[in-house]
């Protein structure tokens, strides 16, 4: 089941990036706010967690029989697998950081939407 949940997680990251991108525009005008930064960091930290997962490592290069073979795309797979392995070495750290950041982002959006706090931004209103 773990490998199959990887695909919806990747799709969800793209959806969250789209939300973050939309938050950079207000009434067609580009700007940046604290909320925009939080909404863009949210999927970034989740991506570090998801793309460092052992299921993603297996998908990228875990099925290769020989990384050092000169033929085929095994060397490219090995390079990508090595980069993913860097994220995988801190997988639990990314799990905690992303989980806490998701909670803080949700709290921030809720407080701004209720008018309890102000989202400081470059739009000036």
């Amino acid at each position: 089941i773990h490998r199959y949940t990887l695909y919806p997680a990747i799709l969800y990251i793209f959806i969250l990036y789209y939300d973050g991108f939309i938050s950079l525009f207000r009434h067609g005008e580009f700007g940046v706010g604290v909320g925009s930064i939080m909404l863009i960091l949210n999927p970034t930290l989740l991506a570090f967690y998801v793309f460092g997962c052992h299921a993603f490592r297996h998908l990228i290069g875990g099925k290769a029989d020989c990384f050092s073979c000169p033929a085929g795309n095994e060397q490219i797979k090995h390079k990508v697998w090595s980069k993913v392995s860097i994220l995988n070495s801190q997988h639990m750290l990314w799990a905690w950081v992303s989980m806490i950041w998701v909670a803080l982002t949700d709290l921030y959006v809720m407080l701004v939407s209720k008018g309890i706090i102000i989202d400081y931004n470059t739009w000036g209103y």
Side-chain angles (χ1 to χ4, degrees):
I1 293 175
H2 187 75
R3 289 185 185 165
Y4 296 114
T5 59
L6 174 68
Y7 305 111
I10 292 171
L11 176 65
Y12 195 62
I13 288 170
F14 284 111
I15 292 169
L16 289 173
Y17 267 123
Y18 178 72
D19 286 343
F21 177 75
I22 288 176
S23 73
L24 295 172
F25 297 91
R26 187 179 289 175
H27 305 295
E29 181 184 343
F30 178 79
V32 178
V34 174
S36 301
I37 294 169
M38 292 185 80
L39 288 172
I40 291 171
L41 275 174
N42 195 27
T44 302
L45 294 172
L46 285 169
F48 287 169
Y49 172 66
V50 170
F51 294 129
C53 179
H54 66 276
F56 189 72
R57 278 178 74 205
H58 180 77
L59 179 69
I60 293 300
K63 296 177 278 185
D65 291 330
C66 177
F67 282 133
S68 60
C69 300
N73 62 357
E74 300 300 325
Q75 290 177 344
I76 295 170
K77 278 185 177 181
H78 182 260
K79 286 181 183 177
V80 175
W81 180 82
S82 296
K83 301 298 181 197
V84 171
S85 295
I86 294 169
L87 288 175
N88 183 260
S89 69
Q90 297 296 319
H91 190 58
M92 188 54 64
L93 171 70
W94 295 122
W96 279 103
V97 170
S98 63
M99 180 179 64
I100 291 167
W101 193 261
V102 166
L104 290 174
T105 301
D106 286 349
L107 178 65
Y108 185 83
V109 169
M110 182 195 70
L111 293 174
V112 169
S113 69
K114 291 187 176 205
I116 297 171
I117 63 172
I118 297 171
D119 180 33
Y120 292 103
N121 57 63
T122 59
W123 292 286
Y125 50 85

